[in-house]
Amino acid sequence: MSKEDSDATRDDLDERTTALIDSIARRIRTSIDKGALPSIELPVRGLTNVKYDEAQGYFALGDAHKVRTLTVNTARSFAQTLRLMATSRAMVEQDDFATKREAYYISKNWGDCRFDEQAESDAIMDDIEALASMHGLSREQLRFYPESHGGAVAGRLTVLDRNPATDAPVEIDCANLGSGAYSIPRAVEHLTFRTDARFVLAIETGGMFQRLNNHRFWDTACCIIVEMGGVPTRATRRFIRLLADKENLPVYCFVDCDPYGFTNIYRTLKVGSGNAAHINRFFCVPRARFLGVTPQDIVDFGLEDATHPLTATDIKRAQDALKNDPFIMAHPEWIAAIKQMLQMGVRAEQQALAKWGLNYVIDDYLPQKLAGTDSFLP
Amino acid sequence: MSKEDSDATRDDLDERTTALIDSIARRIRTSIDKGALPSIELPVRGLTNVKYDEAQGYFALGDAHKVRTLTVNTARSFAQTLRLMATSRAMVEQDDFATKREAYYISKNWGDCRFDEQAESDAIMDDIEALASMHGLSREQLRFYPESHGGAVAGRLTVLDRNPATDAPVEIDCANLGSGAYSIPRAVEHLTFRTDARFVLAIETGGMFQRLNNHRFWDTACCIIVEMGGVPTRATRRFIRLLADKENLPVYCFVDCDPYGFTNIYRTLKVGSGNAAHINRFFCVPRARFLGVTPQDIVDFGLEDATHPLTATDIKRAQDALKNDPFIMAHPEWIAAIKQMLQMGVRAEQQALAKWGLNYVIDDYLPQKLAGTDSFLP
């Protein structure tokens, strides 16, 4: 699936989006013409309808469906679903987009079927997104964009974009932005790339990203660096995924050695999250691997006195992961690493490497780790 | 002050930083040679030592000082202060930098004067920063960089930077980044600009920034757009300030109509904050003006049914501003606007304009507002 999805052009995707919305509308119209109550079949979202397929590499939506039929009770949400889809179709045609927040405000002119709160419009948007995802289309292709910031990018990469106003091609050389970086837009589906990089390095903190960028680590290591800034946003995850798919690049993650880094940041990037399974097929990066910081790194790189004791939250999160996280439970290496951390009783941040000098991370840690990518945690 | 500061080259600033540290070290050495107890004089930080000078345009540090003399009790913090200054000096020489977090970890090799917690190193760094600020030098010039992300920039602006590795000049054309944007680096002092823009538009939300960028609003309006993403980071504030000073550009703020937008986002950008007065001279943008959304805009642009009731926190924040905020209290226009909001009992987000169509903000709202910049709130 993924490879083909990634190779589709923006125009293809727009056509498929319009065709999907049209076919739903046509089915409803046919029902009405026949005097039958129209209905929409929507995938069930949530953990009850999630499966983890290791070969596929991410939490995926199962086959359970719910049917929204037009009744007195559902008249409002039924109309809202259709109007939101109509908005989506109009945005595809006009090459425009709306944030989730804007989509909520647009409804203020819909009379009785206006949304009273954004929670309502979000829930219906999630339903439509789940439906579209079964057809290989993401929310961004429906032209509903996230509010959140994309991460920053630098390195041996040229991003091929277009001028949104004139459609003229635009090339952004991410090796030539000085001390600054390229800020990923909120929708990235239309981007293509030119690169001679050998891998993508996804970095947790902005400070570490700035260090590797200022010292042109990406030039000597022949890579692309991406700042995640904590749990990566949708746009950042999709950008990394497209890079991995289109350019066939391995993705290495460089995050803190703590349960949050393992199960929230890394796990989300790699396999997605359980309660948004309908989007994982687009946003997860199954080929991501964990460079570090690992519990063993604390020993191997002498960081013991630059650690912090695990907090109660850390311990709970780690124990939960061992007991309940299908991804962790499927990988003995991760079980061992988390048990090692619990036994050591400490966590370590990526900045802790500064104990050996500010650029120890560039001169020693990263080269040593990158010499043995086979031993990265899965 | 500011204009000259902004015109100083990076080399000048580096020389002044090194000279300042050297002079402090020399004074301490002289004391020791004379057999006297060495001491360092540091400005008092905090609200007790703050003055608001309307002409100057920001909360500034007063003249109160504290003296840190070497005694048995202060031996550790005295040594830490000196070592942190020595680290700063070495980073200037090696053209390197450290985040606050890294500075904390560096100390792990300082033996008995290591920091136990980052709160300790932060407090001493704030002392050094306050001292340096009295000599026109910011923390970034001491080479301690913030962890936080810079905002995104697009528009009629070319950023002139250098390749950090080779020192070769680099030009970034912020009009030619497709749907993406320029991500502001963590330190911006070395940047210069080339622009034909007529103003800077500082935008609260990422979604609105993406809208104005995708529709090339900055091209038709002849401006530079900056995404603040809530309360702007240090780097974003300094970047806007440098643009305003070096290119003599007015700065207009486009944020939500609520007490947080007025007193946290806008007020911080314009005059700084009370509890970090030692940095305001570098980071505030005294010429910023408030484009909107104003309480009167809710009436003028028919947004009444796209508002939300003020929360208890909103009301408290607004009342506090009227009673205690020297900036608000100095401007009758702001007092009137906040009273109007309290009387209407509602707040409005910038996205609320989507009620009239997604691009109403571009086609109607912003052009109408920009036709009357004289009536912007101060």
Side-chain angles (χ1 to χ4, degrees):
Chain A
M1 56 95 231
S2 61
K3 198 70 180 72
E4 289 140 64
D5 282 0
S6 295
D7 284 346
T9 66
R10 185 182 174 112
D11 285 348
D12 290 346
L13 292 167
D14 281 352
E15 259 177 49
R16 280 164 53 194
T17 309
T18 307
L20 173 65
I21 295 170
D22 286 354
S23 81
I24 295 166
R26 217 174 297 117
R27 226 174 303 138
I28 289 170
R29 177 64 198 240
T30 307
S31 294
I32 295 171
D33 286 347
K34 284 186 192 160
L37 281 177
S39 63
I40 308 175
E41 200 174 76
L42 299 161
V44 171
R45 295 178 285 113
L47 280 171
T48 54
N49 189 29
V50 164
K51 52 190 180 192
Y52 175 56
D53 180 340
E54 227 192 300
Q56 203 175 32
Y58 54 85
F59 290 161
L61 213 55
D63 298 322
H65 277 78
K66 59 185 177 191
V67 176
R68 182 167 295 156
T69 303
L70 179 59
T71 66
V72 174
N73 288 333
T74 64
R76 193 155 160 274
S77 67
F78 197 87
Q80 287 170 332
T81 310
L82 295 186
R83 289 209 74 148
L84 216 45
M85 284 199 279
T87 303
S88 174
R89 193 185 188 290
M91 291 192 295
V92 172
E93 271 187 352
Q94 291 151 25
D95 194 13
D96 211 333
F97 68 93
T99 61
K100 289 169 84 171
R101 193 72 180 150
E102 285 176 326
Y104 156 74
Y105 280 117
I106 289 170
S107 83
K108 294 294 177 188
N109 261 337
W110 291 355
D112 283 346
C113 76
R114 66 193 301 173
F115 295 113
D116 290 330
E117 284 175 27
Q118 195 187 330
E120 287 178 12
S121 55
D122 283 357
I124 286 185
M125 195 181 292
D126 284 346
D127 281 342
I128 299 173
E129 180 181 21
L131 173 62
S133 81
M134 305 305 275
H135 299 264
L137 296 166
S138 71
R139 192 169 77 203
E140 282 74 6
Q141 285 143 16
L142 294 165
R143 301 308 185 95
F144 293 116
Y145 286 12
E147 172 66 34
S148 61
H149 203 289
V153 179
R156 292 167 77 133
L157 170 71
T158 298
V159 176
L160 309 177
D161 195 354
R162 45 169 210 143
N163 180 322
T166 63
D167 228 28
V170 170
E171 300 199 350
I172 301 115
D173 180 359
C174 298
N176 211 14
L177 297 170
S179 48
Y182 171 68
S183 176
I184 301 173
R186 272 151 200 79
V188 299
E189 221 50 56
H190 60 293
L191 301 178
T192 53
F193 309 108
R194 201 169 55 228
T195 181
D196 67 350
R198 290 182 305 167
F199 62 92
V200 176
L201 187 66
I203 301 161
E204 175 172 344
T205 63
M208 185 58 75
F209 174 86
Q210 187 80 51
R211 170 160 309 284
L212 299 190
N213 192 25
N214 270 37
H215 287 278
R216 286 339 197 210
F217 172 77
W218 45 259
D219 206 13
T220 43
C222 195
C223 70
I224 298 159
I225 60 174
V226 181
E227 171 194 17
M228 297 192 286
V231 175
T233 62
R234 289 167 64 109
T236 305
R237 292 163 62 193
R238 183 65 181 157
F239 185 87
I240 295 174
R241 163 69 172 274
L242 288 180
L243 269 180
D245 281 2
K246 291 188 179 181
E247 304 301 323
N248 194 27
L249 291 176
V251 174
Y252 303 137
C253 291
F254 182 24
V255 308
D256 288 349
C257 177
D258 58 34
Y260 189 81
F262 301 161
T263 63
N264 293 55
I265 297 177
Y266 175 69
R267 210 279 313 270
T268 300
L269 179 72
K270 182 172 172 120
V271 300
S273 60
N275 56 9
H278 57 293
I279 68 166
N280 291 336
R281 61 178 294 186
F282 305 110
F283 291 95
C284 66
V285 183
R287 64 188 299 177
R289 291 176 68 85
F290 192 87
L291 178 147
V293 180
T294 66
Q296 188 57 40
D297 284 347
I298 295 175
V299 181
D300 293 346
F301 294 90
L303 302 178
E304 290 88 347
D305 61 351
T307 59
H308 294 84
L310 292 174
T311 64
T313 309
D314 287 331
I315 294 168
K316 185 174 180 312
R317 199 173 263 145
Q319 285 167 342
D320 275 359
L322 292 174
K323 246 186 294 180
N324 301 318
D325 189 317
F327 168 71
I328 299 294
M329 290 155 74
H331 292 103
E333 301 93 326
W334 269 114
I335 294 173
I338 290 176
K339 284 185 174 166
Q340 184 183 8
M341 181 184 58
L342 284 169
Q343 191 248 311
M344 293 165 73
V346 293
R347 57 189 177 81
E349 297 172 359
Q350 50 183 185
Q351 290 97 326
L353 294 157
K355 176 199 156 187
W356 297 116
L358 282 173
N359 291 314
Y360 179 80
V361 60
I362 292 174
D363 299 332
D364 294 270
Y365 178 77
L366 286 174
Q368 280 187 48
K369 295 290 295 192
L370 287 166
T373 56
D374 288 350
S375 63
F376 285 176
L377 286 168
Chain B
M1 54 97 229
S2 60
K3 198 69 180 73
E4 288 139 67
D5 282 359
S6 296
D7 284 345
T9 68
R10 185 182 176 111
D11 285 347
D12 290 346
L13 293 167
D14 282 352
E15 259 177 51
R16 281 167 48 195
T17 308
T18 308
L20 173 65
I21 295 171
D22 286 354
S23 80
I24 295 166
R26 215 172 301 118
R27 227 173 305 138
I28 290 170
R29 178 63 198 244
T30 308
S31 293
I32 295 171
D33 286 347
K34 285 188 194 157
L37 282 177
S39 62
I40 308 175
E41 198 175 77
L42 298 161
V44 171
R45 296 178 285 114
L47 281 170
T48 52
N49 189 29
V50 164
K51 53 189 180 193
Y52 176 56
D53 180 340
E54 228 192 301
Q56 203 173 32
Y58 54 84
F59 290 161
L61 213 56
D63 298 322
H65 278 78
K66 58 186 176 191
V67 176
R68 181 168 297 157
T69 303
L70 180 60
T71 67
V72 174
N73 289 332
T74 63
R76 193 155 160 274
S77 67
F78 197 87
Q80 288 169 332
T81 309
L82 295 186
R83 288 207 76 145
L84 216 45
M85 282 198 281
T87 304
S88 173
R89 194 186 187 288
M91 292 191 295
V92 172
E93 270 188 354
Q94 292 151 24
D95 193 13
D96 211 334
F97 67 93
T99 62
K100 288 169 84 169
R101 193 73 180 150
E102 285 174 327
Y104 156 74
Y105 280 117
I106 290 170
S107 82
K108 294 295 177 188
N109 263 337
W110 290 356
D112 283 346
C113 76
R114 66 190 302 172
F115 294 114
D116 290 329
E117 284 175 28
Q118 195 186 330
E120 286 179 10
S121 55
D122 283 357
I124 287 185
M125 195 180 294
D126 285 346
D127 281 342
I128 299 174
E129 180 181 20
L131 172 62
S133 81
M134 305 305 274
H135 299 264
L137 297 165
S138 72
R139 191 169 76 205
E140 283 73 6
Q141 284 143 16
L142 294 165
R143 300 306 185 99
F144 293 117
Y145 286 11
E147 172 67 33
S148 61
H149 202 291
V153 179
R156 293 167 76 135
L157 170 71
T158 297
V159 176
L160 309 177
D161 196 354
R162 44 169 211 145
N163 180 322
T166 64
D167 228 29
V170 170
E171 300 200 349
I172 302 115
D173 179 0
C174 297
N176 211 14
L177 296 171
S179 48
Y182 171 68
S183 177
I184 300 172
R186 272 153 201 76
V188 299
E189 221 50 57
H190 60 294
L191 302 179
T192 54
F193 309 107
R194 200 168 55 229
T195 182
D196 67 349
R198 291 181 305 167
F199 61 93
V200 176
L201 187 67
I203 301 162
E204 174 172 345
T205 65
M208 185 58 75
F209 175 86
Q210 187 80 53
R211 170 160 309 286
L212 299 191
N213 192 23
N214 270 37
H215 288 278
R216 288 332 198 216
F217 172 77
W218 44 259
D219 206 12
T220 43
C222 195
C223 70
I224 298 160
I225 60 174
V226 180
E227 171 193 17
M228 296 190 286
V231 175
T233 62
R234 289 168 65 109
T236 306
R237 291 162 63 192
R238 184 65 181 157
F239 186 88
I240 295 173
R241 164 68 174 275
L242 288 180
L243 268 180
D245 280 2
K246 293 188 178 182
E247 303 301 324
N248 194 25
L249 290 176
V251 174
Y252 304 137
C253 291
F254 182 24
V255 308
D256 289 349
C257 177
D258 57 34
Y260 189 80
F262 302 160
T263 64
N264 294 54
I265 298 177
Y266 175 69
R267 209 279 315 266
T268 301
L269 178 72
K270 183 171 173 121
V271 300
S273 60
N275 58 8
H278 57 293
I279 68 165
N280 291 336
R281 62 179 292 188
F282 306 110
F283 291 96
C284 65
V285 183
R287 63 189 298 179
R289 292 176 67 86
F290 192 87
L291 178 147
V293 179
T294 65
Q296 186 59 37
D297 285 347
I298 296 176
V299 181
D300 293 346
F301 293 91
L303 301 178
E304 290 88 346
D305 61 352
T307 58
H308 294 82
L310 292 174
T311 64
T313 309
D314 287 332
I315 293 168
K316 185 175 178 313
R317 199 172 263 144
Q319 285 167 343
D320 274 0
L322 291 174
K323 246 186 294 180
N324 301 319
D325 188 318
F327 169 71
I328 298 293
M329 290 155 74
H331 293 103
E333 302 93 326
W334 270 114
I335 295 173
I338 290 177
K339 284 186 173 166
Q340 183 183 9
M341 182 183 58
L342 283 170
Q343 190 248 313
M344 292 165 73
V346 293
R347 59 189 176 82
E349 297 171 0
Q350 50 184 182
Q351 290 98 325
L353 295 157
K355 176 198 156 187
W356 298 116
L358 281 173
N359 291 313
Y360 178 79
V361 61
I362 292 174
D363 299 332
D364 294 88
Y365 177 77
L366 286 173
Q368 279 186 48
K369 295 291 293 193
L370 288 165
T373 55
D374 287 350
S375 62
F376 285 176
L377 286 168

